[in-house]
Amino acid sequence: MTSPRRSTPPIVQRRWRRWRAATITTACVLATSVSGAQARPDVLAAADPSTAAPALGTPAQLRLAAPMQIPTPRDLREALARWRQANERVAEFPRGHADLLRWEAGQAGSTQRGTTPPPAAPLGADDAVRQALALHPDLLERPGANAAERWSRQQARLALEHSVRRSWITAVAAHTTLRHQAAVLESARIGAELGQRMVEAGNWSQARLLREQLTQARAEAAWLQSRQTAHSATEALARQLGLWQADAVQALPLRLPAELPPLPPSPATATEAQVLASQPTLAWQAEQLRRQQAAVPAAQRQAWADALATALSAAPAQPPTLADARLLKDHALERAVQAEAQLLRAAGDRRSWARDAWAQLQTTQASARHAQDVMLPLLQAAEQETLLRYNGMLQSTWDLLAAARERLQGAQDAARARRDHWLAHADWQALLAGGTYRPAAADDSASTANATPDGDH
């Protein structure tokens, strides 16, 4: 667009200069945001059906080994030979079956450890938010936008950031659950393998072995469910980040931070004031209501209150009906009544959200600290005591496995409590920023029924 001629009226020239400056500023903002987020040259490849993609997992890859059947010895000589062989293998290790199984597992996995690539830098919550914002250039601030446009864009941006943070927390917790379930499965496999060797040595019945194999089968089913939950959570995060390749999601942190964020020092009444102040539209609605109320006589407002009370007296048996039709024709009264109801709903919602979010924040932090600082140390100490007695041959391998399972359950509870608190913290931060409050869904808690990081045990 060329510059206007000197014969152009001054007002047109001023408007043209303002439009040109705003256009240049907006272009600079967009260019800066795209360069900061690293332009994506693979966008066209993502939409191309011919782009190669890794093959999806087949059911055969998920098939788990069925419990082994122990053949019955043909005669007494074969039974004694099996018993002698089993006990000779156990005697090579100071702590018996448990050491033997761990050694065998270590031998099987030693060839794979050297080929494992170094872990990538973990994807943080702020990193995920920045990647998601890069997919929504419409949420960038624009010079010259009016207050309503800025507020609408801010609400959409807050909703996106809140959703991404919750998805990131859920994904990290889901992978934590998967690692915990793998530890539970390993413990169950050790128990089943020990039971099988006890039967081979003639020290156990087949019925007791079946119970251990049933425990293993249940652990395998729970591991499969945890694996699918972690996969779904990762894919949900990938969709929000615009990552179309199957392995494009960076490595997530091993667990959510154990150091919980401190609670705000303000009391509950002050939190309501903070949440109300974070919504500037309430002040605008209140000012509009004052003007509309001033335009309606007091006698007319009282007539409306009396007619409304009469109409609601028969509800819900009969639909509420205004008997005085003249009130419905008073447009100033109608606007004032509507504005009053809207303001009361909006203010009541935010005050209730503040109380609910504050209570959730306090409760989830207390639960997380109790599970992490009280229950888990007690279970760890109980397991250590059982281990000492096991080394002194005062307790059996099965007592040690039972103590380990109790400790894993405590670590699971601590991980779940941490996840719930970080979700509540994300909800609280979004509410303080002016967003809406959406508490954690019930199915989120049920999805990680066996959550714990492997580093907690």
Side-chain angles (χ1 to χ4, degrees):
M1 184 174 182
T2 59
S3 174
R5 298 179 180 179
R6 294 184 179 180
S7 59
T8 306
I11 186 173
V12 176
Q13 295 182 13
R14 287 195 298 270
R15 290 180 178 176
W16 182 87
R17 284 194 294 268
R18 285 199 299 269
W19 173 86
R20 185 171 181 271
T23 302
I24 294 174
T25 304
T26 304
C28 292
V29 171
L30 290 174
T32 302
S33 64
V34 172
S35 62
Q38 296 182 352
R40 302 284 298 276
D42 58 342
V43 175
L44 295 178
D48 188 356
S50 63
T51 302
L56 299 177
T58 60
Q61 293 174 328
L62 301 179
R63 188 176 300 134
L64 300 173
M68 295 181 59
Q69 299 296 328
I70 303 175
T72 304
R74 291 172 295 182
D75 51 24
L76 180 60
R77 179 180 300 178
E78 183 177 352
L80 290 175
R82 290 184 183 180
W83 176 85
R84 187 180 299 107
Q85 181 181 9
N87 284 276
E88 287 175 354
R89 294 176 63 193
V90 172
E92 297 175 3
F93 296 87
R95 293 196 303 168
H97 291 87
D99 286 341
L100 175 60
L101 291 173
R102 289 192 177 92
W103 177 84
E104 290 175 347
Q107 291 297 108
S110 60
T111 57
Q112 301 176 358
R113 296 193 188 99
T115 59
T116 303
L123 176 70
D126 292 339
D127 300 329
V129 169
R130 284 189 287 268
Q131 291 189 32
L133 286 174
L135 294 179
H136 295 269
D138 55 307
L139 299 183
L140 297 175
E141 292 296 336
R142 283 157 172 74
N146 56 41
E149 292 175 346
R150 289 197 302 271
W151 175 250
S152 176
R153 192 172 292 114
Q154 179 186 357
Q155 287 296 296
R157 189 168 58 249
L158 285 173
L160 175 64
E161 293 178 5
H162 185 208
S163 177
V164 172
R165 289 186 186 278
R166 287 185 62 89
S167 297
W168 181 87
I169 293 171
T170 302
V172 173
H175 284 276
T176 298
T177 300
L178 181 59
R179 286 189 295 272
H180 160 73
Q181 202 58 51
V184 173
L185 179 56
E186 179 186 4
S187 176
R189 283 175 174 169
I190 289 176
E193 178 66 17
L194 285 176
Q196 181 175 333
R197 297 187 182 186
M198 293 290 284
V199 173
E200 291 178 350
N203 298 326
W204 263 26
S205 66
Q206 189 74 24
R208 190 169 180 182
L209 173 60
L210 289 175
R211 288 198 297 270
E212 293 298 325
Q213 291 176 337
L214 181 59
T215 300
Q216 177 185 355
R218 288 171 176 165
E220 288 174 340
W223 178 82
L224 285 175
Q225 181 60 45
S226 299
R227 184 172 184 254
Q228 179 57 41
T229 300
H231 177 77
S232 298
T234 304
E235 290 298 335
L237 181 61
R239 288 192 294 269
Q240 290 185 308
L241 304 186
L243 303 176
W244 59 275
Q245 294 173 320
D247 55 349
V249 178
Q250 290 179 243
L252 294 172
L254 294 178
R255 62 189 64 84
L256 293 171
E259 185 66 28
L260 303 179
L263 286 177
S266 57
T269 54
T271 61
E272 290 189 30
Q274 287 180 311
V275 172
L276 287 177
S278 66
Q279 187 84 333
T281 56
L282 291 178
W284 178 82
Q285 287 179 277
E287 181 62 27
Q288 293 296 319
L289 177 59
R290 294 188 189 96
R291 295 178 182 178
Q292 292 164 354
Q293 287 177 338
V296 179
Q300 194 74 346
R301 294 200 302 269
Q302 185 60 43
W304 166 264
D306 296 340
L308 180 62
T310 302
L312 295 177
S313 61
Q318 297 178 1
T321 305
L322 287 176
D324 191 352
R326 294 174 300 177
L327 296 175
L328 299 176
K329 298 179 181 180
D330 190 339
H331 298 298
L333 176 62
E334 181 183 7
R335 287 192 296 269
V337 169
Q338 291 289 349
E340 181 180 345
Q342 291 175 359
L343 180 59
L344 182 59
R345 290 197 302 268
D349 285 348
R350 294 200 70 80
R351 285 184 178 274
S352 177
W353 290 344
R355 295 190 297 268
D356 192 9
W358 176 253
Q360 287 281 352
L361 199 63
Q362 287 182 311
T363 303
T364 55
Q365 184 175 100
S367 299
R369 292 195 182 282
H370 183 265
Q372 183 172 297
D373 300 337
V374 178
M375 291 297 298
L376 187 56
L378 287 175
L379 293 171
Q380 290 173 338
E383 184 186 22
Q384 289 298 320
E385 182 64 23
T386 305
L387 179 60
L388 291 176
R389 294 177 62 84
Y390 170 75
N391 290 334
M393 298 184 181
L394 299 176
Q395 287 189 268
S396 67
T397 303
W398 313 106
D399 295 329
L400 184 60
L401 288 176
R405 288 168 183 165
E406 289 183 1
R407 188 258 307 153
L408 289 173
Q409 179 65 40
Q412 161 200 350
D413 296 338
R416 188 189 307 121
R418 281 199 303 271
R419 181 211 58 187
D420 292 343
H421 181 65
W422 281 106
L423 287 174
H425 183 263
D427 295 339
W428 174 251
Q429 292 298 320
L431 186 59
L432 287 182
T436 58
Y437 175 66
R438 294 183 178 86
D443 55 354
D444 290 342
S445 299
S447 64
T448 54
N450 294 308
T452 187
D454 53 358
D456 286 345
H457 61 274

